[in-house]
Amino acid sequence: MGHCAHARYVWNLAVEQRSWWQPGRPAPGFATQCRQLSGARAAFPWLAAGSVIVQQQALRDFHAAWASYFAALREWRRRYVRTAPDERPDPPGQPSWRKRGLDEGFRIVATGPQDVQRLNRRRAQVLVPKLGWVRFRWSRPVPEARSYRVTRDRAGRWHVAFCAVPPPIPGPGTGEVVGIDRGVTVTLMLSDGRRYQAPADCGVERLQGRLDRARRGSIRRAKLKARLARAHARNADARRDWVEQRSTQIARGYDLIRIEDLNVRNMTRSAKGTVERPGRNVRQKAGLNRAILASGWGMFAARLEHKAAGRLEKVDPAFTSWRCSECGTVDRKARESQAVFRCRSCGYSANADLNAARNIAAGHAARGGRGLPRPSNCEPQLPTFHVA
Ligand SMILES: [Zn+2]
């Protein structure tokens, strides 16, 4: 199919262009490459005969592939920073050449409902630019999609996959406000006292231990390494599921959701006495847990941002754990231990994470600047929320 060849050609050109890249020079962006594509289409009639959508989307996919490669690499570094080099799984691979027969596919964007027609119970057809109507088997309901992708798998079967962005979830309309504190002990602590625990990694520790004992270079070791990689992947899936479920639940349950703004990239909050004076092993484990949780938290915030669009507020995380959510006094010593917060001014006492979550819900944890909060901010003032 010509579309596949064009998409592959454009992709491979982009790969080759990247391979000329030298440090210190910016790689060409999507817009630049689109301009270059126009030039190429003017020069090569066979390319111009193809669909410009297919070719531009190949470029867009190429950029998306690089972005996800960098994200995967960051995650990989964060997770295996403490692992010995020969114990690490292979780092994620860079986007590379697409081969004929293996990577066949293209993407069409800007489609509407008029581009898909149901023929009968089993069959339907989709309009492909420059190609006409293509029939496919109706295997599941087709959402109202903005784009779709046509691929051919190694077995030579063609697939068409519609991609729809799910609409944001409406809030309950009660004006309910919630603050969410993330932590190592309690993954998510809500200001109304609900707590949610992310699934624990299972199988990894035991396999890691067995891997450590296995002789280097042995077949057994290679097998264990593969099993460990699968366990990591399974755990990541479980975490993703958990994030999806919790973010939906919270987006549906509250009208205004406040979380800490982690673009203020200080990990001091998570580094604060999460584990009091840990032994070396404990600390290492806690470090790893934190890294995994941190990535889960980022995912959670991103999903929430989408699902509760316009109803999510980010709060400066400074002082949320030291400020009394009852009277507003900021006092380091009020945090008696990992679990207990006790205000020395008003006597308010609560679970420390709950106190932090209540501060986040109030949305003004850090307005005191560097010192103590100004008196006007000490009153716990619940924000007014207007229900449309
Ligand atoms: Zn107090």
Side-chain angles (χ1 to χ4, degrees), residues 68-105:
S68 73
Y69 161 73
F70 284 127
L73 191 64
R74 269 197 303 276
E75 165 75 16
W76 181 85
R77 285 202 185 121
R78 197 157 48 198
R79 183 175 297 180
Y80 300 109
V81 65
R82 290 164 199 277
T83 316
D86 63 327
E87 302 294 332
R88 286 175 200 156
D90 293 334
Q94 287 187 358
S96 66
W97 299 94
R98 288 200 164 163
K99 294 190 193 73
R100 181 179 190 154
L102 280 184
D103 314 290
E104 300 278 9

Side-chain angles (χ1 to χ4, degrees), residues 324 326-329 343 345-348:
C324 171
E326 202 60 36
C327 72
T329 309
C343 178
S345 297
C346 73
Y348 173 73

Side-chain angles (χ1 to χ4, degrees), residues 12 23 37 52 61 74 108 129 162 170 181 208 215 219 253 270 272 275 295 322-323 332 354-355:
N12 286 342
L37 176 65
V52 68
D61 288 350
R74 269 197 303 276
I108 301 290
F162 292 88
D181 179 64
Q208 183 70 56
R215 196 160 41 79
I219 294 170
S270 57
K272 85 197 163 193
V275 183
S295 73
W322 296 331
R323 182 185 179 277
R332 285 171 197 237
L354 180 60
N355 179 63

Side-chain angles (χ1 to χ4, degrees), residues 61-374:
D61 288 350
F62 177 78
H63 285 276
W66 272 94
S68 73
Y69 161 73
F70 284 127
L73 191 64
R74 269 197 303 276
E75 165 75 16
W76 181 85
R77 285 202 185 121
R78 197 157 48 198
R79 183 175 297 180
Y80 300 109
V81 65
R82 290 164 199 277
T83 316
D86 63 327
E87 302 294 332
R88 286 175 200 156
D90 293 334
Q94 287 187 358
S96 66
W97 299 94
R98 288 200 164 163
K99 294 190 193 73
R100 181 179 190 154
L102 280 184
D103 314 290
E104 300 278 9
F106 59 90
R107 192 150 62 92
I108 301 290
V109 292
T111 56
Q114 72 281 359
D115 296 333
V116 184
Q117 282 177 1
R118 189 84 183 260
L119 297 172
N120 53 43
R121 206 170 59 81
R122 303 286 307 278
R123 319 280 311 169
Q125 59 183 8
V126 61
L127 190 62
V128 180
K130 299 228 175 187
L131 202 70
W133 290 98
V134 175
R135 293 186 178 199
F136 64 93
R137 194 165 68 84
W138 187 277
S139 54
R140 63 187 65 176
V142 171
E144 218 169 90
R146 305 274 307 127
S147 75
Y148 62 89
R149 179 183 291 282
V150 177
T151 51
R152 198 176 74 171
D153 64 18
R154 286 176 186 219
R157 292 172 302 192
W158 290 92
H159 301 275
V160 50
F162 292 88
C163 164
V165 179
I169 296 167
T174 54
E176 201 154 342
V177 180
V178 74
I180 305 174
D181 179 64
R182 63 172 184 135
V184 175
T185 349
V186 179
T187 319
L188 300 178
M189 173 63 98
L190 274 54
S191 54
D192 59 8
R194 277 178 216 179
R195 44 174 81 195
Y196 299 114
Q197 210 65 33
D201 273 5
C202 55
V204 170
E205 237 165 87
R206 194 173 46 86
L207 280 170
Q208 183 70 56
R210 284 171 65 186
L211 185 67
D212 289 343
R213 290 190 298 276
R215 196 160 41 79
R216 273 163 206 260
S218 64
I219 294 170
R220 194 176 117 76
R221 190 184 181 84
K223 280 185 179 164
L224 281 168
K225 209 170 159 180
R227 279 181 64 188
L228 184 64
R230 278 198 301 275
H232 274 306
R234 245 194 329 269
N235 287 329
D237 282 349
R239 268 196 303 279
R240 250 194 306 278
D241 282 353
W242 184 85
V243 162
E244 286 303 330
Q245 285 165 15
R246 288 296 161 258
S247 54
T248 297
Q249 187 182 8
I250 290 169
R252 195 172 283 150
Y254 305 91
D255 277 317
L256 182 60
I257 301 154
R258 291 202 166 110
I259 60 173
E260 293 168 298
D261 186 2
L262 294 181
N263 285 334
V264 186
R265 280 177 66 91
N266 63 348
M267 294 313 271
T268 47
R269 273 226 57 210
S270 57
K272 85 197 163 193
T274 41
V275 183
E276 296 289 310
R277 284 189 206 163
R280 186 174 294 165
N281 264 336
V282 176
R283 186 182 303 161
Q284 206 171 55
K285 209 176 278 175
L288 190 65
N289 283 344
R290 260 202 297 278
I292 291 170
L293 277 171
S295 73
W297 176 260
M299 189 158 56
F300 176 78
R303 297 306 288 135
L304 211 50
E305 201 147 27
H306 179 92
K307 291 177 181 175
R311 299 189 287 119
L312 182 72
E313 270 184 21
K314 292 186 173 177
V315 174
D316 191 326
F319 302 120
T320 47
S321 56
W322 296 331
R323 182 185 179 277
C324 171
S325 60
E326 202 60 36
C327 72
T329 309
V330 173
D331 176 9
R332 285 171 197 237
K333 289 189 177 149
R335 180 84 185 242
E336 282 193 346
S337 68
Q338 156 60 20
V340 179
F341 180 94
R342 185 170 325 220
C343 178
R344 296 189 295 177
S345 297
C346 73
Y348 173 73
S349 168
N351 173 289
D353 294 331
L354 180 60
N355 179 63
R358 283 167 46 121
N359 279 326
I360 294 165
H364 60 116
R367 284 195 204 144
R370 236 184 295 155
L372 293 170
R374 289 189 302 272

